[in-house]
Amino acid sequence: RKGKLRTYFNILIVFLVSGFWHGANWTFVLWGFWTSVTIPDSVTEICYCAFSGCCSLTSVTIGNSVKYIENYAFDDCSGLTSVTIGNSVTFIDSEAFRGCSSLTSVYCKAIVPPIIVNDTFDKVSATATLYVPTGCKAAYAAATEWSKFKTIEETQF
């Protein structure tokens, strides 16, 4: 009602208040502005609820040193459209990508399909495409839970 500037100011106040409420840290204040995140190769695991509820997030690239993605890591990131999973991931815990309803592309660089549980991609669109390394499609199609992706395509990373 009071114009765009006032709306943006109000949104900023909400980010500030909720950011400090959730962690009293500037990192949490800025979470609402993120649209793309690249997890560096120095990180070995993505912790519980690390990016949960970050609705503005549209793309995630997970570095090649990450081995484990904990529960709810990207839970309810409803704006997330693309995720690239590094080649060292061996386990993705429950509901890690639950509620990522806009997810259309999952790129998994691991030659051996990481172990995932039955609700890791719960509430993800049935039309999402899984991209895997060339020569690995059969392994993913046979792997429990990965086989739920209706479209699995091979690609060179």
Side-chain angles (χ1 to χ4, degrees):
R1 279 192 268 180
K2 303 255 183 187
K4 283 187 178 184
L5 185 60
R6 181 62 179 204
T7 299
Y8 293 138
F9 176 76
N10 290 342
I11 290 170
L12 180 62
I13 295 302
V14 169
F15 287 153
L16 285 171
V17 170
S18 65
F20 284 115
W21 177 268
H22 287 289
N25 185 318
W26 282 104
T27 304
F28 291 96
V29 172
L30 298 174
W31 72 268
F33 296 111
W34 288 349
T35 58
S36 178
V37 171
T38 299
I39 310 295
D41 285 338
S42 58
V43 174
T44 58
E45 79 177 50
I46 301 173
C47 296
Y48 173 83
C49 290
F51 296 92
S52 181
C54 191
C55 299
S56 63
L57 196 57
T58 59
S59 120
V60 171
T61 301
I62 298 169
N64 288 325
S65 294
V66 173
K67 296 184 183 314
Y68 177 54
I69 302 172
E70 289 190 21
N71 327 34
Y72 308 104
F74 298 95
D75 176 50
D76 284 329
C77 290
S78 58
L80 189 61
T81 59
S82 173
V83 62
T84 301
I85 300 169
N87 60 19
S88 295
V89 173
T90 58
F91 188 82
I92 305 174
D93 216 333
S94 67
E95 302 183 13
F97 294 96
R98 181 187 68 108
C100 296
S101 54
S102 298
L103 195 57
T104 58
S105 303
V106 176
Y107 299 86
C108 191
K109 294 180 176 182
I111 302 232
V112 175
I115 297 167
I116 62 175
V117 294
N118 66 351
D119 54 359
T120 296
F121 290 98
D122 190 32
K123 299 181 184 173
V124 168
S125 173
T127 61
T129 301
L130 173 63
Y131 296 91
V132 301
T134 302
C136 298
K137 180 177 180 176
Y140 278 85
T144 305
E145 298 309 314
W146 289 108
S147 62
K148 289 183 178 177
F149 282 89
K150 292 179 180 174
T151 306
I152 301 176
E153 295 184 16
E154 293 183 333
T155 189
Q156 288 189 317
F157 291 107

